[in-house]
Amino acid sequence: MRQIIIGNWKMNGSRALVDEMAREVYARAASLPCDLVLCPPATLIAPLAQALPGIAIGGQDCHERVSGAHTGDIAAGMLREAGASHVILGHSERRADHGESDAKVRAKVGAARAAGLTPIVCVGEDEAARQAGRADAVVLGQLAASLPEDFTAGVVGLVAYEPIWAIGSGRIPSEADIAAMHGAIRAALRARFGAAGGAIAILYGGSVKPANAAAVLALPEVGGALVGGASLVPGDFLAIAGAAMAPALGRTPVAG
Ligand code: 13P
């Protein structure tokens, strides 16, 4: 499986950044050992899709309904029409800022799948849970309640493990802790979805930078990275993508 490096621009970016990405990232994308997905604010999906044809683009959220009286929200079909193939769902910033529950995230995953988008479902513990030894319980609980039963039918979604305390902080878990959590997530996915659960890419996110990317991406069960701040700097994003593990010879690359 090719690793997947996803850039989450959050509420950042501009037409100028789209142009910069087109100039600096686009030409090098084909030679990277991984697949790329760029997730800009919704207003930049169409320009980015136009400027970087062939690069996967994702939204950062969608509503669970296909349309209706939901001022300020965006439907999965609208993201798709704008040029997106993916959507981040259940990011901890959405869970915190907009009170999104696991049930809400699960409904959004269903809407995304129905529109043909690949959902990127985020889970992660806060610092108090980690310190109390409850990280596994929190993450596996979110995972169980945020994924619908049909998560592996047709469009196979992705899971991103993002410890909240590592986001934007410059701190990341030890390699052993990342490997242990990814192993626990893999075991839960297999237990629930059988062999199909083995094919779900599990990405790590939280302060992934050029300096730590190679070590993180070499860990077992790490299928790629979800990158925030460093995805806004073309050189840093390319350096992280360049650190991805090339797929083993003879294995079929699986696009995200
Ligand atoms: P940072 O890479 O800025 O820590 O953000 C991670 C993240 O939240 C990506 O979704």
Side-chain angles (χ1 to χ4, degrees), residues 8 10 91 93 162 166-169 205-209 226-230:
N8 175 9
K10 309 191 179 183
H91 191 284
E93 289 153 14
E162 296 204 305
I167 294 175
S169 67
S207 294
V208 175
K209 305 291 178 194
L226 181 51
V227 183

Side-chain angles (χ1 to χ4, degrees), residues 182-211:
H182 280 242
I185 292 171
R186 174 66 68 213
L189 292 173
R190 278 192 202 280
R192 181 164 172 195
F193 299 112
I200 298 170
I202 308 167
L203 278 53
Y204 170 78
S207 294
V208 175
K209 305 291 178 194

